[in-house]
């Protein structure tokens, strides 16, 4: 696992999600993606390493795509990072 690559992607997804001009979509991201307030300008990489875990990271990629209206089929596998594709996990 390349934690630095995953952390960079996590920070990028969260930054873009926070830029959404749709409060409902952001609320969905904060509940299904990265919790609101989890990442800010003072957050250290070590504090968000838990989001890099193999059972969480694919969901983040998948859910990020879903906030842009992608169907489950389209969102699955659309993003690729550190040899992981986005997918919905149980």
């Amino acid at each position: 696992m390349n934690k630095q690559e995953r952390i960079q992607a996590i920070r990028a997804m969260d930054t873009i999600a926070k830029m959404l001009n749709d409060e409902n979509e952001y609320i969905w991201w904060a509940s299904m993606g990265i919790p609101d307030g989890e990442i800010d300008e003072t957050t250290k990489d070590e504090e968000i390493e838990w989001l890099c875990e193999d059972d969480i990271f694919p969901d983040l990629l998948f859910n990020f795509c879903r906030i842009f209206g992608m169907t489950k089929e389209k969102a699955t596998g659309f993003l690729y990072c550190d040899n992981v594709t986005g997918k919905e996990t149980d």
Side-chain angles (χ1 to χ4, degrees):
M1 172 192 323
N2 184 335
K3 283 187 184 176
Q4 193 55 44
E5 185 176 352
R6 290 184 187 197
I7 286 172
Q8 186 177 15
I10 288 166
R11 288 183 184 276
M13 288 186 290
D14 194 58
T15 297
I16 291 169
K18 287 175 179 172
M19 294 170 58
L20 291 172
N21 195 21
D22 185 323
E23 186 175 353
N24 290 330
E25 292 298 332
Y26 179 72
I27 289 170
W28 189 87
W29 172 250
S31 65
M32 300 300 291
I34 297 173
D36 190 30
E38 186 72 25
I39 299 175
D40 64 26
E41 61 279 346
T42 65
T43 304
K44 295 180 173 79
D45 289 351
E46 298 80 31
E47 296 174 293
I48 57 174
E49 281 184 353
W50 66 275
L51 294 167
C52 297
E53 297 300 324
D54 288 337
D55 60 335
I56 296 173
F57 189 68
D59 271 339
L60 291 178
L61 296 173
F62 175 83
N63 288 329
F64 182 75
C65 290
R66 292 300 306 259
I67 65 173
F68 293 101
M70 291 184 186
T71 63
K72 286 184 178 186
E73 295 76 24
K74 180 75 173 172
T76 300
F78 189 79
L79 291 179
Y80 176 82
C81 178
D82 188 33
N83 296 316
V84 176
T85 58
K87 65 180 177 182
E88 185 175 35
T89 58
D90 298 325

